[in-house]
PDB file of all heavy atoms in Angstrom:
ATOM      1  N   GLY A   1       0.836  -1.209  -0.001  1.00 89.00           N
ATOM      2  CA  GLY A   1       0.014  -0.034  -0.014  1.00 89.00           C
ATOM      3  C   GLY A   1       0.835   1.270   0.004  1.00 89.00           C
ATOM      4  O   GLY A   1       0.514   2.264  -0.603  1.00 89.00           O
ATOM      5  N   CYS A   2       1.977   1.247   0.708  1.00 92.00           N
ATOM      6  CA  CYS A   2       2.846   2.430   0.772  1.00 92.00           C
ATOM      7  C   CYS A   2       3.491   2.627  -0.618  1.00 92.00           C
ATOM      8  O   CYS A   2       3.686   3.786  -0.993  1.00 92.00           O
ATOM      9  CB  CYS A   2       3.942   2.183   1.832  1.00 92.00           C
ATOM     10  SG  CYS A   2       3.308   2.177   3.560  1.00 92.00           S
ATOM     11  N   LEU A   3       3.892   1.558  -1.262  1.00 92.00           N
ATOM     12  CA  LEU A   3       4.502   1.663  -2.608  1.00 92.00           C
ATOM     13  C   LEU A   3       3.510   2.204  -3.603  1.00 92.00           C
ATOM     14  O   LEU A   3       3.905   2.976  -4.518  1.00 92.00           O
ATOM     15  CB  LEU A   3       5.016   0.339  -3.024  1.00 92.00           C
ATOM     16  CG  LEU A   3       6.274  -0.194  -2.305  1.00 92.00           C
ATOM     17  CD1 LEU A   3       6.620  -1.598  -2.779  1.00 92.00           C
ATOM     18  CD2 LEU A   3       7.466   0.761  -2.489  1.00 92.00           C
ATOM     19  N   VAL A   4       2.241   1.791  -3.483  1.00 90.00           N
ATOM     20  CA  VAL A   4       1.210   2.305  -4.418  1.00 90.00           C
ATOM     21  C   VAL A   4       1.141   3.887  -4.298  1.00 90.00           C
ATOM     22  O   VAL A   4       1.019   4.554  -5.360  1.00 90.00           O
ATOM     23  CB  VAL A   4      -0.172   1.745  -4.072  1.00 90.00           C
ATOM     24  CG1 VAL A   4      -1.300   2.435  -4.812  1.00 90.00           C
ATOM     25  CG2 VAL A   4      -0.190   0.232  -4.374  1.00 90.00           C
ATOM     26  N   LYS A   5       1.287   4.361  -3.134  1.00 90.00           N
ATOM     27  CA  LYS A   5       1.238   5.850  -2.952  1.00 90.00           C
ATOM     28  C   LYS A   5       2.482   6.557  -3.472  1.00 90.00           C
ATOM     29  O   LYS A   5       2.484   7.780  -3.699  1.00 90.00           O
ATOM     30  CB  LYS A   5       1.079   6.178  -1.450  1.00 90.00           C
ATOM     31  CG  LYS A   5      -0.228   5.681  -0.826  1.00 90.00           C
ATOM     32  CD  LYS A   5      -0.285   5.973   0.644  1.00 90.00           C
ATOM     33  CE  LYS A   5      -1.543   5.396   1.299  1.00 90.00           C
ATOM     34  NZ  LYS A   5      -1.571   5.639   2.779  1.00 90.00           N
ATOM     35  N   LEU A   6       3.594   5.793  -3.626  1.00 91.00           N
ATOM     36  CA  LEU A   6       4.838   6.399  -4.093  1.00 91.00           C
ATOM     37  C   LEU A   6       4.988   6.328  -5.558  1.00 91.00           C
ATOM     38  O   LEU A   6       5.910   6.949  -6.141  1.00 91.00           O
ATOM     39  CB  LEU A   6       6.031   5.662  -3.468  1.00 91.00           C
ATOM     40  CG  LEU A   6       6.215   5.769  -1.912  1.00 91.00           C
ATOM     41  CD1 LEU A   6       7.351   4.932  -1.445  1.00 91.00           C
ATOM     42  CD2 LEU A   6       6.447   7.219  -1.547  1.00 91.00           C
ATOM     43  N   VAL A   7       4.106   5.653  -6.294  1.00 90.00           N
ATOM     44  CA  VAL A   7       4.220   5.559  -7.733  1.00 90.00           C
ATOM     45  C   VAL A   7       3.936   6.906  -8.372  1.00 90.00           C
ATOM     46  O   VAL A   7       2.959   7.599  -8.066  1.00 90.00           O
ATOM     47  CB  VAL A   7       3.188   4.550  -8.295  1.00 90.00           C
ATOM     48  CG1 VAL A   7       3.234   4.545  -9.846  1.00 90.00           C
ATOM     49  CG2 VAL A   7       3.535   3.112  -7.783  1.00 90.00           C
ATOM     50  N   LYS A   8       4.858   7.345  -9.300  1.00 90.00           N
ATOM     51  CA  LYS A   8       4.675   8.597  -9.958  1.00 90.00           C
ATOM     52  C   LYS A   8       4.861   8.359 -11.478  1.00 90.00           C
ATOM     53  O   LYS A   8       5.577   7.399 -11.911  1.00 90.00           O
ATOM     54  CB  LYS A   8       5.717   9.617  -9.480  1.00 90.00           C
ATOM     55  CG  LYS A   8       5.539  10.050  -8.054  1.00 90.00           C
ATOM     56  CD  LYS A   8       6.556  11.105  -7.636  1.00 90.00           C
ATOM     57  CE  LYS A   8       6.365  11.561  -6.220  1.00 90.00           C
ATOM     58  NZ  LYS A   8       7.339  12.561  -5.807  1.00 90.00           N
ATOM     59  N   LYS A   9       4.278   9.220 -12.239  1.00 88.00           N
ATOM     60  CA  LYS A   9       4.373   9.148 -13.695  1.00 88.00           C
ATOM     61  C   LYS A   9       5.570  10.009 -14.158  1.00 88.00           C
ATOM     62  O   LYS A   9       5.701  11.151 -13.771  1.00 88.00           O
ATOM     63  CB  LYS A   9       3.113   9.677 -14.334  1.00 88.00           C
ATOM     64  CG  LYS A   9       2.924   9.237 -15.817  1.00 88.00           C
ATOM     65  CD  LYS A   9       2.396   7.805 -15.890  1.00 88.00           C
ATOM     66  CE  LYS A   9       2.224   7.416 -17.357  1.00 88.00           C
ATOM     67  NZ  LYS A   9       1.167   8.111 -17.990  1.00 88.00           N
ATOM     68  N   LYS A  10       6.469   9.373 -14.936  1.00 86.00           N
ATOM     69  CA  LYS A  10       7.653  10.087 -15.467  1.00 86.00           C
ATOM     70  C   LYS A  10       7.678   9.790 -16.959  1.00 86.00           C
ATOM     71  O   LYS A  10       8.167   8.709 -17.380  1.00 86.00           O
ATOM     72  CB  LYS A  10       8.911   9.637 -14.771  1.00 86.00           C
ATOM     73  CG  LYS A  10      10.106  10.498 -15.114  1.00 86.00           C
ATOM     74  CD  LYS A  10      11.322  10.101 -14.298  1.00 86.00           C
ATOM     75  CE  LYS A  10      12.519  10.944 -14.569  1.00 86.00           C
ATOM     76  NZ  LYS A  10      13.713  10.615 -13.806  1.00 86.00           N
ATOM     77  N   GLY A  11       7.221  10.706 -17.763  1.00 83.00           N
ATOM     78  CA  GLY A  11       7.111  10.430 -19.181  1.00 83.00           C
ATOM     79  C   GLY A  11       6.064   9.371 -19.400  1.00 83.00           C
ATOM     80  O   GLY A  11       4.901   9.487 -18.951  1.00 83.00           O
ATOM     81  N   ARG A  12       6.445   8.334 -20.094  1.00 84.00           N
ATOM     82  CA  ARG A  12       5.555   7.211 -20.333  1.00 84.00           C
ATOM     83  C   ARG A  12       5.673   6.110 -19.308  1.00 84.00           C
ATOM     84  O   ARG A  12       4.967   5.091 -19.360  1.00 84.00           O
ATOM     85  CB  ARG A  12       5.823   6.609 -21.727  1.00 84.00           C
ATOM     86  CG  ARG A  12       5.555   7.588 -22.862  1.00 84.00           C
ATOM     87  CD  ARG A  12       5.800   6.914 -24.227  1.00 84.00           C
ATOM     88  NE  ARG A  12       5.504   7.795 -25.345  1.00 84.00           N
ATOM     89  CZ  ARG A  12       5.569   7.454 -26.605  1.00 84.00           C
ATOM     90  NH1 ARG A  12       6.004   6.195 -26.910  1.00 84.00           N
ATOM     91  NH2 ARG A  12       5.320   8.342 -27.603  1.00 84.00           N
ATOM     92  N   ASN A  13       6.584   6.249 -18.386  1.00 86.00           N
ATOM     93  CA  ASN A  13       6.880   5.254 -17.412  1.00 86.00           C
ATOM     94  C   ASN A  13       6.297   5.578 -16.054  1.00 86.00           C
ATOM     95  O   ASN A  13       6.073   6.784 -15.715  1.00 86.00           O
ATOM     96  CB  ASN A  13       8.387   5.019 -17.294  1.00 86.00           C
ATOM     97  CG  ASN A  13       9.013   4.587 -18.536  1.00 86.00           C
ATOM     98  OD1 ASN A  13       8.493   3.766 -19.295  1.00 86.00           O
ATOM     99  ND2 ASN A  13      10.211   5.149 -18.888  1.00 86.00           N
ATOM    100  N   HIS A  14       6.066   4.522 -15.266  1.00 89.00           N
ATOM    101  CA  HIS A  14       5.700   4.701 -13.872  1.00 89.00           C
ATOM    102  C   HIS A  14       6.940   4.343 -13.066  1.00 89.00           C
ATOM    103  O   HIS A  14       7.579   3.296 -13.279  1.00 89.00           O
ATOM    104  CB  HIS A  14       4.558   3.768 -13.505  1.00 89.00           C
ATOM    105  CG  HIS A  14       3.280   4.065 -14.147  1.00 89.00           C
ATOM    106  ND1 HIS A  14       2.930   3.686 -15.429  1.00 89.00           N
ATOM    107  CD2 HIS A  14       2.167   4.850 -13.718  1.00 89.00           C
ATOM    108  CE1 HIS A  14       1.709   4.113 -15.752  1.00 89.00           C
ATOM    109  NE2 HIS A  14       1.221   4.866 -14.737  1.00 89.00           N
ATOM    110  N   ILE A  15       7.289   5.196 -12.128  1.00 89.00           N
ATOM    111  CA  ILE A  15       8.489   4.955 -11.315  1.00 89.00           C
ATOM    112  C   ILE A  15       8.151   5.124  -9.810  1.00 89.00           C
ATOM    113  O   ILE A  15       7.185   5.765  -9.482  1.00 89.00           O
ATOM    114  CB  ILE A  15       9.626   5.933 -11.717  1.00 89.00           C
ATOM    115  CG1 ILE A  15       9.298   7.354 -11.386  1.00 89.00           C
ATOM    116  CG2 ILE A  15      10.010   5.808 -13.150  1.00 89.00           C
ATOM    117  CD1 ILE A  15      10.463   8.326 -11.288  1.00 89.00           C
ATOM    118  N   ILE A  16       9.062   4.510  -9.041  1.00 91.00           N
ATOM    119  CA  ILE A  16       9.073   4.716  -7.599  1.00 91.00           C
ATOM    120  C   ILE A  16      10.502   5.087  -7.271  1.00 91.00           C
ATOM    121  O   ILE A  16      11.440   4.451  -7.633  1.00 91.00           O
ATOM    122  CB  ILE A  16       8.659   3.448  -6.829  1.00 91.00           C
ATOM    123  CG1 ILE A  16       7.123   3.203  -7.026  1.00 91.00           C
ATOM    124  CG2 ILE A  16       8.996   3.606  -5.362  1.00 91.00           C
ATOM    125  CD1 ILE A  16       6.655   1.914  -6.321  1.00 91.00           C
ATOM    126  N   THR A  17      10.667   6.129  -6.456  1.00 91.00           N
ATOM    127  CA  THR A  17      11.988   6.500  -5.925  1.00 91.00           C
ATOM    128  C   THR A  17      12.100   5.899  -4.553  1.00 91.00           C
ATOM    129  O   THR A  17      11.315   6.250  -3.624  1.00 91.00           O
ATOM    130  CB  THR A  17      12.183   8.022  -5.862  1.00 91.00           C
ATOM    131  OG1 THR A  17      12.067   8.607  -7.185  1.00 91.00           O
ATOM    132  CG2 THR A  17      13.579   8.344  -5.324  1.00 91.00           C
ATOM    133  N   CYS A  18      13.088   5.013  -4.307  1.00 91.00           N
ATOM    134  CA  CYS A  18      13.222   4.337  -3.025  1.00 91.00           C
ATOM    135  C   CYS A  18      13.463   5.392  -1.971  1.00 91.00           C
ATOM    136  O   CYS A  18      14.379   6.169  -2.065  1.00 91.00           O
ATOM    137  CB  CYS A  18      14.361   3.349  -3.106  1.00 91.00           C
ATOM    138  SG  CYS A  18      14.730   2.502  -1.547  1.00 91.00           S
ATOM    139  N   PRO A  19      12.703   5.374  -0.899  1.00 90.00           N
ATOM    140  CA  PRO A  19      12.878   6.323   0.144  1.00 90.00           C
ATOM    141  C   PRO A  19      14.187   6.237   0.880  1.00 90.00           C
ATOM    142  O   PRO A  19      14.646   7.194   1.495  1.00 90.00           O
ATOM    143  CB  PRO A  19      11.700   6.002   1.143  1.00 90.00           C
ATOM    144  CG  PRO A  19      10.704   5.273   0.308  1.00 90.00           C
ATOM    145  CD  PRO A  19      11.493   4.505  -0.699  1.00 90.00           C
ATOM    146  N   GLU A  20      14.841   5.115   0.787  1.00 89.00           N
ATOM    147  CA  GLU A  20      16.075   4.872   1.483  1.00 89.00           C
ATOM    148  C   GLU A  20      17.343   5.184   0.706  1.00 89.00           C
ATOM    149  O   GLU A  20      18.229   5.952   1.128  1.00 89.00           O
ATOM    150  CB  GLU A  20      16.190   3.462   2.102  1.00 89.00           C
ATOM    151  CG  GLU A  20      15.148   3.170   3.170  1.00 89.00           C
ATOM    152  CD  GLU A  20      15.263   1.791   3.734  1.00 89.00           C
ATOM    153  OE1 GLU A  20      16.278   1.488   4.324  1.00 89.00           O
ATOM    154  OE2 GLU A  20      14.313   1.012   3.570  1.00 89.00           O
ATOM    155  N   CYS A  21      17.447   4.632  -0.525  1.00 88.00           N
ATOM    156  CA  CYS A  21      18.636   4.820  -1.294  1.00 88.00           C
ATOM    157  C   CYS A  21      18.426   5.809  -2.501  1.00 88.00           C
ATOM    158  O   CYS A  21      19.369   6.042  -3.255  1.00 88.00           O
ATOM    159  CB  CYS A  21      19.175   3.481  -1.779  1.00 88.00           C
ATOM    160  SG  CYS A  21      18.102   2.608  -3.007  1.00 88.00           S
ATOM    161  N   ARG A  22      17.159   6.282  -2.700  1.00 88.00           N
ATOM    162  CA  ARG A  22      16.859   7.189  -3.719  1.00 88.00           C
ATOM    163  C   ARG A  22      17.025   6.667  -5.135  1.00 88.00           C
ATOM    164  O   ARG A  22      17.054   7.413  -6.119  1.00 88.00           O
ATOM    165  CB  ARG A  22      17.625   8.504  -3.608  1.00 88.00           C
ATOM    166  CG  ARG A  22      17.651   9.124  -2.225  1.00 88.00           C
ATOM    167  CD  ARG A  22      16.287   9.291  -1.611  1.00 88.00           C
ATOM    168  NE  ARG A  22      15.437  10.145  -2.420  1.00 88.00           N
ATOM    169  CZ  ARG A  22      14.127  10.302  -2.249  1.00 88.00           C
ATOM    170  NH1 ARG A  22      13.512   9.604  -1.284  1.00 88.00           N
ATOM    171  NH2 ARG A  22      13.433  11.145  -3.014  1.00 88.00           N
ATOM    172  N   GLN A  23      17.071   5.377  -5.310  1.00 89.00           N
ATOM    173  CA  GLN A  23      17.221   4.775  -6.634  1.00 89.00           C
ATOM    174  C   GLN A  23      15.817   4.733  -7.274  1.00 89.00           C
ATOM    175  O   GLN A  23      14.873   4.351  -6.649  1.00 89.00           O
ATOM    176  CB  GLN A  23      17.784   3.351  -6.550  1.00 89.00           C
ATOM    177  CG  GLN A  23      17.902   2.714  -7.903  1.00 89.00           C
ATOM    178  CD  GLN A  23      18.672   1.389  -7.858  1.00 89.00           C
ATOM    179  OE1 GLN A  23      19.504   1.159  -6.987  1.00 89.00           O
ATOM    180  NE2 GLN A  23      18.295   0.423  -8.732  1.00 89.00           N
ATOM    181  N   GLU A  24      15.757   5.112  -8.562  1.00 88.00           N
ATOM    182  CA  GLU A  24      14.506   5.075  -9.264  1.00 88.00           C
ATOM    183  C   GLU A  24      14.220   3.723  -9.831  1.00 88.00           C
ATOM    184  O   GLU A  24      15.141   3.087 -10.415  1.00 88.00           O
ATOM    185  CB  GLU A  24      14.525   6.110 -10.432  1.00 88.00           C
ATOM    186  CG  GLU A  24      14.398   7.548  -9.983  1.00 88.00           C
ATOM    187  CD  GLU A  24      14.155   8.545 -11.118  1.00 88.00           C
ATOM    188  OE1 GLU A  24      14.188   8.086 -12.293  1.00 88.00           O
ATOM    189  OE2 GLU A  24      13.942   9.721 -10.858  1.00 88.00           O
ATOM    190  N   VAL A  25      13.003   3.229  -9.708  1.00 86.00           N
ATOM    191  CA  VAL A  25      12.616   1.931 -10.092  1.00 86.00           C
ATOM    192  C   VAL A  25      11.404   2.024 -11.060  1.00 86.00           C
ATOM    193  O   VAL A  25      10.448   2.689 -10.739  1.00 86.00           O
ATOM    194  CB  VAL A  25      12.216   1.043  -8.862  1.00 86.00           C
ATOM    195  CG1 VAL A  25      11.764  -0.344  -9.373  1.00 86.00           C
ATOM    196  CG2 VAL A  25      13.376   0.919  -7.927  1.00 86.00           C
ATOM    197  N   LYS A  26      11.539   1.401 -12.233  1.00 88.00           N
ATOM    198  CA  LYS A  26      10.394   1.402 -13.137  1.00 88.00           C
ATOM    199  C   LYS A  26       9.388   0.353 -12.750  1.00 88.00           C
ATOM    200  O   LYS A  26       9.733  -0.807 -12.436  1.00 88.00           O
ATOM    201  CB  LYS A  26      10.891   1.086 -14.548  1.00 88.00           C
ATOM    202  CG  LYS A  26      11.645   2.230 -15.238  1.00 88.00           C
ATOM    203  CD  LYS A  26      11.991   1.897 -16.654  1.00 88.00           C
ATOM    204  CE  LYS A  26      12.754   3.047 -17.325  1.00 88.00           C
ATOM    205  NZ  LYS A  26      13.122   2.726 -18.713  1.00 88.00           N
ATOM    206  N   ILE A  27       8.092   0.693 -12.691  1.00 86.00           N
ATOM    207  CA  ILE A  27       7.017  -0.203 -12.300  1.00 86.00           C
ATOM    208  C   ILE A  27       6.192  -0.469 -13.524  1.00 86.00           C
ATOM    209  O   ILE A  27       5.579   0.449 -14.095  1.00 86.00           O
ATOM    210  CB  ILE A  27       6.181   0.380 -11.177  1.00 86.00           C
ATOM    211  CG1 ILE A  27       7.011   0.809  -9.991  1.00 86.00           C
ATOM    212  CG2 ILE A  27       5.081  -0.548 -10.744  1.00 86.00           C
ATOM    213  CD1 ILE A  27       7.758  -0.365  -9.336  1.00 86.00           C
ATOM    214  N   THR A  28       6.169  -1.707 -13.972  1.00 82.00           N
ATOM    215  CA  THR A  28       5.442  -2.096 -15.220  1.00 82.00           C
ATOM    216  C   THR A  28       3.973  -1.760 -15.069  1.00 82.00           C
ATOM    217  O   THR A  28       3.291  -2.250 -14.159  1.00 82.00           O
ATOM    218  CB  THR A  28       5.625  -3.576 -15.478  1.00 82.00           C
ATOM    219  OG1 THR A  28       6.994  -3.878 -15.534  1.00 82.00           O
ATOM    220  CG2 THR A  28       4.997  -3.939 -16.831  1.00 82.00           C
ATOM    221  N   ASN A  29       3.482  -0.872 -15.903  1.00 83.00           N
ATOM    222  CA  ASN A  29       2.081  -0.432 -15.922  1.00 83.00           C
ATOM    223  C   ASN A  29       1.624   0.103 -14.572  1.00 83.00           C
ATOM    224  O   ASN A  29       0.430   0.175 -14.284  1.00 83.00           O
ATOM    225  CB  ASN A  29       1.166  -1.601 -16.322  1.00 83.00           C
ATOM    226  CG  ASN A  29       1.491  -2.150 -17.717  1.00 83.00           C
ATOM    227  OD1 ASN A  29       1.800  -1.337 -18.613  1.00 83.00           O
ATOM    228  ND2 ASN A  29       1.395  -3.398 -17.967  1.00 83.00           N
ATOM    229  N   GLY A  30       2.604   0.484 -13.761  1.00 84.00           N
ATOM    230  CA  GLY A  30       2.286   1.067 -12.450  1.00 84.00           C
ATOM    231  C   GLY A  30       1.697   0.087 -11.488  1.00 84.00           C
ATOM    232  O   GLY A  30       1.172   0.404 -10.428  1.00 84.00           O
ATOM    233  N   ASP A  31       1.841  -1.270 -11.826  1.00 85.00           N
ATOM    234  CA  ASP A  31       1.255  -2.329 -10.981  1.00 85.00           C
ATOM    235  C   ASP A  31       2.300  -2.791  -9.950  1.00 85.00           C
ATOM    236  O   ASP A  31       3.212  -3.568 -10.247  1.00 85.00           O
ATOM    237  CB  ASP A  31       0.843  -3.498 -11.855  1.00 85.00           C
ATOM    238  CG  ASP A  31       0.111  -4.588 -11.053  1.00 85.00           C
ATOM    239  OD1 ASP A  31      -0.103  -4.394  -9.853  1.00 85.00           O
ATOM    240  OD2 ASP A  31      -0.253  -5.626 -11.657  1.00 85.00           O
ATOM    241  N   VAL A  32       2.157  -2.297  -8.681  1.00 88.00           N
ATOM    242  CA  VAL A  32       3.060  -2.680  -7.627  1.00 88.00           C
ATOM    243  C   VAL A  32       2.958  -4.170  -7.283  1.00 88.00           C
ATOM    244  O   VAL A  32       3.930  -4.791  -6.825  1.00 88.00           O
ATOM    245  CB  VAL A  32       2.781  -1.790  -6.403  1.00 88.00           C
ATOM    246  CG1 VAL A  32       3.574  -2.285  -5.203  1.00 88.00           C
ATOM    247  CG2 VAL A  32       3.119  -0.343  -6.657  1.00 88.00           C
ATOM    248  N   GLY A  33       1.798  -4.746  -7.531  1.00 82.00           N
ATOM    249  CA  GLY A  33       1.549  -6.140  -7.274  1.00 82.00           C
ATOM    250  C   GLY A  33       2.518  -7.101  -7.972  1.00 82.00           C
ATOM    251  O   GLY A  33       2.686  -8.228  -7.531  1.00 82.00           O
ATOM    252  N   LYS A  34       3.121  -6.631  -9.108  1.00 82.00           N
ATOM    253  CA  LYS A  34       4.037  -7.512  -9.825  1.00 82.00           C
ATOM    254  C   LYS A  34       5.419  -7.570  -9.214  1.00 82.00           C
ATOM    255  O   LYS A  34       6.237  -8.351  -9.623  1.00 82.00           O
ATOM    256  CB  LYS A  34       4.139  -7.056 -11.262  1.00 82.00           C
ATOM    257  CG  LYS A  34       2.818  -7.189 -12.080  1.00 82.00           C
ATOM    258  CD  LYS A  34       2.966  -6.729 -13.525  1.00 82.00           C
ATOM    259  CE  LYS A  34       1.676  -6.978 -14.296  1.00 82.00           C
ATOM    260  NZ  LYS A  34       1.812  -6.521 -15.704  1.00 82.00           N
ATOM    261  N   LEU A  35       5.663  -6.759  -8.246  1.00 86.00           N
ATOM    262  CA  LEU A  35       6.977  -6.827  -7.525  1.00 86.00           C
ATOM    263  C   LEU A  35       7.067  -8.085  -6.708  1.00 86.00           C
ATOM    264  O   LEU A  35       6.039  -8.607  -6.284  1.00 86.00           O
ATOM    265  CB  LEU A  35       7.132  -5.569  -6.625  1.00 86.00           C
ATOM    266  CG  LEU A  35       7.315  -4.246  -7.288  1.00 86.00           C
ATOM    267  CD1 LEU A  35       7.214  -3.128  -6.268  1.00 86.00           C
ATOM    268  CD2 LEU A  35       8.662  -4.131  -8.074  1.00 86.00           C
ATOM    269  N   GLN A  36       8.303  -8.543  -6.453  1.00 83.00           N
ATOM    270  CA  GLN A  36       8.503  -9.735  -5.684  1.00 83.00           C
ATOM    271  C   GLN A  36       7.996  -9.480  -4.212  1.00 83.00           C
ATOM    272  O   GLN A  36       8.229  -8.428  -3.648  1.00 83.00           O
ATOM    273  CB  GLN A  36       9.955 -10.140  -5.610  1.00 83.00           C
ATOM    274  CG  GLN A  36      10.508 -10.600  -6.948  1.00 83.00           C
ATOM    275  CD  GLN A  36      10.187 -12.095  -7.217  1.00 83.00           C
ATOM    276  OE1 GLN A  36       9.583 -12.701  -6.358  1.00 83.00           O
ATOM    277  NE2 GLN A  36      10.560 -12.565  -8.347  1.00 83.00           N
ATOM    278  N   SER A  37       7.391 -10.494  -3.634  1.00 80.00           N
ATOM    279  CA  SER A  37       7.046 -10.423  -2.235  1.00 80.00           C
ATOM    280  C   SER A  37       8.261 -10.841  -1.357  1.00 80.00           C
ATOM    281  O   SER A  37       9.080 -11.662  -1.760  1.00 80.00           O
ATOM    282  CB  SER A  37       5.861 -11.382  -1.922  1.00 80.00           C
ATOM    283  OG  SER A  37       4.709 -11.017  -2.568  1.00 80.00           O
ATOM    284  N   ASN A  38       8.347 -10.205  -0.225  1.00 78.00           N
ATOM    285  CA  ASN A  38       9.445 -10.550   0.720  1.00 78.00           C
ATOM    286  C   ASN A  38       9.042 -11.736   1.532  1.00 78.00           C
ATOM    287  O   ASN A  38       8.385 -11.635   2.584  1.00 78.00           O
ATOM    288  CB  ASN A  38       9.764  -9.340   1.629  1.00 78.00           C
ATOM    289  CG  ASN A  38      11.048  -9.582   2.401  1.00 78.00           C
ATOM    290  OD1 ASN A  38      11.331 -10.713   2.781  1.00 78.00           O
ATOM    291  ND2 ASN A  38      11.764  -8.491   2.628  1.00 78.00           N
ATOM    292  N   PHE A  39       9.338 -12.927   1.048  1.00 70.00           N
ATOM    293  CA  PHE A  39       8.814 -14.171   1.629  1.00 70.00           C
ATOM    294  C   PHE A  39       9.372 -14.395   3.026  1.00 70.00           C
ATOM    295  O   PHE A  39       8.663 -14.893   3.865  1.00 70.00           O
ATOM    296  CB  PHE A  39       9.161 -15.408   0.744  1.00 70.00           C
ATOM    297  CG  PHE A  39      10.665 -15.583   0.465  1.00 70.00           C
ATOM    298  CD1 PHE A  39      11.438 -16.320   1.331  1.00 70.00           C
ATOM    299  CD2 PHE A  39      11.240 -15.054  -0.672  1.00 70.00           C
ATOM    300  CE1 PHE A  39      12.776 -16.493   1.058  1.00 70.00           C
ATOM    301  CE2 PHE A  39      12.538 -15.229  -0.933  1.00 70.00           C
ATOM    302  CZ  PHE A  39      13.318 -15.963  -0.049  1.00 70.00           C
ATOM    303  N   TRP A  40      10.668 -14.002   3.288  1.00 68.00           N
ATOM    304  CA  TRP A  40      11.167 -14.299   4.643  1.00 68.00           C
ATOM    305  C   TRP A  40      10.596 -13.323   5.698  1.00 68.00           C
ATOM    306  O   TRP A  40      10.487 -13.710   6.811  1.00 68.00           O
ATOM    307  CB  TRP A  40      12.747 -14.280   4.605  1.00 68.00           C
ATOM    308  CG  TRP A  40      13.406 -13.000   4.374  1.00 68.00           C
ATOM    309  CD1 TRP A  40      13.906 -12.529   3.190  1.00 68.00           C
ATOM    310  CD2 TRP A  40      13.711 -11.980   5.318  1.00 68.00           C
ATOM    311  NE1 TRP A  40      14.456 -11.314   3.319  1.00 68.00           N
ATOM    312  CE2 TRP A  40      14.359 -10.915   4.610  1.00 68.00           C
ATOM    313  CE3 TRP A  40      13.490 -11.865   6.678  1.00 68.00           C
ATOM    314  CZ2 TRP A  40      14.830  -9.823   5.285  1.00 68.00           C
ATOM    315  CZ3 TRP A  40      13.965 -10.703   7.326  1.00 68.00           C
ATOM    316  CH2 TRP A  40      14.604  -9.678   6.612  1.00 68.00           C
TER     317      TRP A  40
END
């Protein structure tokens, strides 16, 4: 849910800027659900 709020539109891409290391991450179609779950 927190990542959904962080998704921003940049050009034609959806990105999230990591709050900790500030690295930009492309999110396919803005769907956060496609990211890997932290199983451990």
Side-chain angles (χ1 to χ4, degrees):
C2 293
L3 289 175
V4 170
K5 297 176 182 178
L6 294 176
V7 176
K8 293 182 179 180
K9 198 79 180 294
K10 189 174 183 180
R12 296 182 178 180
N13 299 318
H14 293 83
I15 65 163
I16 288 178
T17 301
C18 176
E20 293 182 62
C21 66
R22 310 309 299 169
Q23 180 173 329
E24 286 190 354
V25 179
K26 288 184 180 180
I27 305 299
T28 306
N29 299 324
D31 186 2
V32 172
K34 293 182 179 180
L35 292 170
Q36 291 279 357
S37 296
N38 191 324
F39 59 87
W40 67 264

